[in-house]
Amino acid sequence: MKVLGIETSCDETAAAIVDEQRNIIANLVLSQLDEHRAFGGVVPEIAARAHIDHLATLIKAALEDAKLKPEELDGIAATCGPGLIGGVMVGMMAGKAMAAAHKLPFIAVNHLEAHALTPRLTDDVAFPYLLLLVSGGHTQILAAEDVGSYRQIGTTIDDALGECFDKSAKLMGLPYPGGPNLEKAAKECADPASALERFPLPRPLCDRPDCDFSFSGLKTAVRTHVDKLPPGPLRMEDVAALACAFEHAVCEILVNRCEKAIRQFMQQYGDRAKSPSFVIAGGVAANQAIRASLKDLTARYDMSFSAPPGKLCSDNGAMIAWAGIERLRMGLSDPLDIAARPRWPLDPDAEQSRT
Ligand code: KG4
Ligand code: ZN
């Protein structure tokens, strides 16, 4: 079984082909960094137009890479939400048109589910597993019970972690895209111990028994520190020290919240999960300090740890194609009149869902 996956929900135009044996046969991602850099963030209208300009070329190139004709595919999967609706419509309509033209099943993919299922593509992780999903728009801890079945254990009550990275990076004068540049700056900090003393930062909600997050106070504290730095252009060593303190605070928050979630998960799913796994996914999961902290945490609880390689953490077509395969092999596909969804929570029952 081979499926084409199309991703256009944010600022990456992507097309990929994946087979049922978990081989990524083609995987093309065109980032729109240059289009958005001047604005310091993603401009929805510019993103949608760029997807229109590039998507057909990328799909053609993916088919060429895979040496496949469209009719040799078993299905077409496209992100149908959540995301920037103009961009989502571009990929969804292209996918539906291809499915109609070649009489193939169409699979409407939830972008968040595609992130959530990526560790099954890369590491064949078995259900149920505990998932930390951290991206530009979402921060959630979920129990992944099965394809299409997720139970939210924790969520952010304000900003998403990726958003907090991006806004903090901007405050530190770091260029777009913020998250990866903040990580780079943190690595340049010569003396992490004194950076932590010099730039104390809060760990919001860490005294609470639940597993929720709050990141807006962290961002505000970064602003307060930046405002106290000497006027004029920020010195690189100050930025590196503040970035290091920021990353340290984020890691401690994630470890605190995830440890609570692990205990809850083991209580509820421990019997069912033969070798319980903790999985991280989403763009922020590319961060090496975060990966290392969570790997240490999970080792303490005898859980296996799975984090997709960096290029499969950020938005890509392979995860969409894989989510398509997971659904298609369960006999699931969607009618061509299915609508795009700007919001599409993974756990619709979650009391406080902010997806
Ligand atoms: O999953 P993704 O590619 O797009 C969304 O669906 O949101 O995630 C993008 C987010 C951005 O906020 C970006 O700054 C963040 O992931 N990110 C990182 C790193 N790489 C990407 N944050 C921290 N460290 C990184 N290395
Ligand atoms: Zn994403």
Side-chain angles (χ1 to χ4, degrees), residues 39-315:
F39 304 95
V42 179
V43 184
E45 177 67 22
I46 293 176
R49 284 166 191 255
H51 291 310
I52 291 174
D53 288 346
H54 302 300
L55 182 58
T57 315
L58 277 183
I59 292 174
K60 237 167 129 180
L63 286 163
E64 274 166 23
D65 279 3
K67 299 188 178 52
L68 287 172
K69 297 193 189 78
E71 53 274 20
E72 292 175 289
L73 294 166
D74 297 280
I76 311 281
T79 298
C80 290
L84 303 173
I85 197 69
V88 170
M89 298 283 283
V90 174
M92 182 185 77
M93 293 313 291
K96 286 180 177 178
M98 271 188 83
H102 300 286
K103 301 192 170 46
L104 292 169
F106 175 73
I107 308 106
V109 171
N110 178 327
H111 178 92
L112 298 175
E113 177 164 43
H115 277 303
L117 295 174
T118 303
R120 287 171 55 79
L121 166 64
T122 56
D123 296 323
D124 206 9
V125 176
F127 291 117
Y129 54 88
L130 184 61
L131 164 74
L132 172 68
L133 178 59
V134 273
S135 71
H138 306 275
T139 303
Q140 295 169 12
I141 306 177
L142 298 140
E145 296 173 335
D146 201 346
V147 174
S149 177
Y150 303 87
R151 210 177 51 74
Q152 187 176 290
I153 295 177
T155 186
T156 177
I157 60 167
D158 42 52
D159 293 351
L161 182 53
E163 189 183 355
C164 179
F165 261 96
D166 294 338
K167 287 179 177 165
S168 300
K170 209 169 176 179
L171 289 167
M172 293 177 207
L174 292 166
Y176 172 82
N181 282 316
L182 195 154
E183 176 172 27
K184 227 195 267 170
K187 281 189 183 142
E188 278 163 34
C189 175
D191 186 352
S194 61
L196 300 189
E197 257 176 56
R198 189 174 161 211
F199 297 115
L201 290 165
R203 272 70 168 151
L205 306 193
C206 282
D207 53 348
R208 289 224 320 215
D210 61 29
C211 303
D212 285 341
F213 300 93
S214 164
F215 290 109
S216 73
L218 187 56
K219 173 194 68 194
T220 309
V222 167
R223 183 193 298 276
T224 309
H225 284 308
V226 170
D227 288 347
K228 284 191 204 145
L229 289 172
L234 299 178
R235 295 184 323 155
M236 196 48 220
E237 58 260 47
D238 292 339
V239 171
L242 183 51
C244 174
F246 174 87
E247 220 178 49
H248 189 83
V250 167
C251 290
E252 283 196 0
I253 294 166
L254 292 178
V255 166
N256 173 290
R257 308 283 72 203
C258 290
E259 184 160 14
K260 293 223 156 56
I262 287 174
R263 292 206 183 120
Q264 206 171 307
F265 177 83
M266 294 304 263
Q267 248 177 19
Q268 287 175 20
Y269 297 89
D271 294 346
R272 257 208 278 163
K274 282 198 191 73
S275 60
S277 296
F278 182 96
V279 153
I280 53 171
V284 185
N287 184 288
Q288 288 174 15
I290 292 176
R291 292 162 89 100
S293 311
L294 293 172
K295 195 171 179 196
D296 282 354
L297 169 70
T298 51
R300 284 199 268 126
Y301 283 85
D302 274 338
M303 289 182 101
S304 56
F305 176 76
S306 164
K311 70 178 194 330
L312 294 177
C313 286
S314 50
D315 292 349

